[in-house]
Amino acid sequence: MEIREKTLSNEKIYDGKIMKIHKDTVELPNGNQAFREIVEHSGGVCVLPLTDCRNIILVEQFRYPFAKAILEIPAGKLELAERHNPLECGKRELFEETGYHAKEFVSLGEFYPTPAYCTEVIHMYLAKGLYVENAHNNDLTPQNHLDDDEFLNVIKLPVSKILEMILGGEIPDGKTQAAVLKSKVLGHFSDVV
């Protein structure tokens, strides 16, 4: 059975800085009509920073829609110029949010956070071989470089603790769950129980 829907009309509802919203009328496979409200989003990138000591670097950020701070891996919105090269965005976000660079980035694929109504695609990467560039006087403490409207805490936890927190419901962020669990299944944490 063909399950595609055909767009009959498109009505713009909102045109904002982060997203655009439109309402479409579609024809269903059975010939009936329905409405689809769609959020258009430029997409994003998330980076799972893994230290040589098998720790993961997380950021704690206040997320206004949920009125609380949550733990998640570094991430950011793709800028227009980066849409065809999400890895560059990932490198930038890793440095801005944590102060680290990485020698190696491994693609973990794409993640669709809300495919029922949003076009956002998050490109996931594992970052290994973390280092601090231009460390002076053997000070290897990284300094983040946040945007003016960005406030976060950088937290380093063992892989085993983060896996426990995800399975216990303490890390509800979907991109963080997907990147960590996919890395575990793919064997990137093979030495972690």
Side-chain angles (χ1 to χ4, degrees):
M1 173 171 97
E2 177 63 45
I3 60 170
R4 284 181 122 22
E5 297 178 355
K6 179 182 175 186
T7 304
L8 301 175
S9 68
N10 176 284
E11 175 190 354
K12 289 184 181 179
I13 296 174
Y14 176 76
D15 189 0
K17 179 181 175 185
I18 296 176
M19 69 185 79
K20 299 173 195 271
I21 302 173
H22 58 90
K23 180 179 176 183
D24 292 359
T25 303
V26 300
E27 182 180 303
L28 302 172
N30 64 3
N32 291 337
Q33 291 184 7
F35 295 107
R36 300 288 182 248
E37 294 174 342
I38 306 298
V39 175
E40 289 184 33
H41 188 283
S42 64
V45 173
C46 66
V47 178
L48 174 60
L50 180 64
T51 71
D52 293 340
C53 298
R54 291 309 200 225
N55 289 312
I56 292 175
I57 298 171
L58 299 169
V59 294
E60 180 186 41
Q61 273 186 292
F62 184 82
R63 292 304 191 181
Y64 186 81
F66 297 99
K68 66 180 180 179
I70 63 171
L71 288 175
E72 56 191 271
I73 58 178
K77 184 173 80 71
L78 281 171
E79 300 301 331
L80 189 58
E82 300 167 323
R83 291 185 84 170
H84 298 293
N85 191 355
L87 178 55
E88 289 308 310
C89 176
K91 290 177 180 180
R92 183 191 74 237
E93 290 297 331
L94 175 65
F95 176 67
E96 286 179 2
E97 293 189 4
T98 70
Y100 283 102
H101 295 279
K103 294 177 183 171
E104 180 183 1
F105 287 85
V106 178
S107 175
L108 297 173
E110 296 178 347
F111 176 68
Y112 294 10
T114 49
Y117 62 86
C118 186
T119 64
E120 182 179 18
V121 175
I122 299 176
H123 303 269
M124 302 183 298
Y125 293 94
L126 171 67
K128 299 192 292 187
L130 302 180
Y131 66 95
V132 178
E133 193 172 76
N134 300 324
H136 299 289
N137 301 326
N138 292 326
D139 180 12
L140 298 178
T141 305
Q143 299 296 313
N144 54 20
H145 305 273
L146 304 175
D147 295 333
D148 291 339
D149 63 348
E150 193 172 28
F151 302 90
L152 54 81
N153 295 315
V154 177
I155 297 170
K156 193 183 298 185
L157 293 171
V159 169
S160 57
K161 176 65 176 171
I162 291 175
L163 288 166
E164 178 184 305
M165 291 173 74
I166 288 172
L167 296 176
E170 297 175 67
I171 299 179
D173 179 59
K175 67 185 176 299
T176 300
Q177 290 183 10
V180 170
L181 296 175
K182 193 166 186 180
S183 292
K184 172 71 173 159
V185 170
L186 290 173
H188 294 295
F189 311 144
S190 58
D191 57 340
V192 176
V193 178

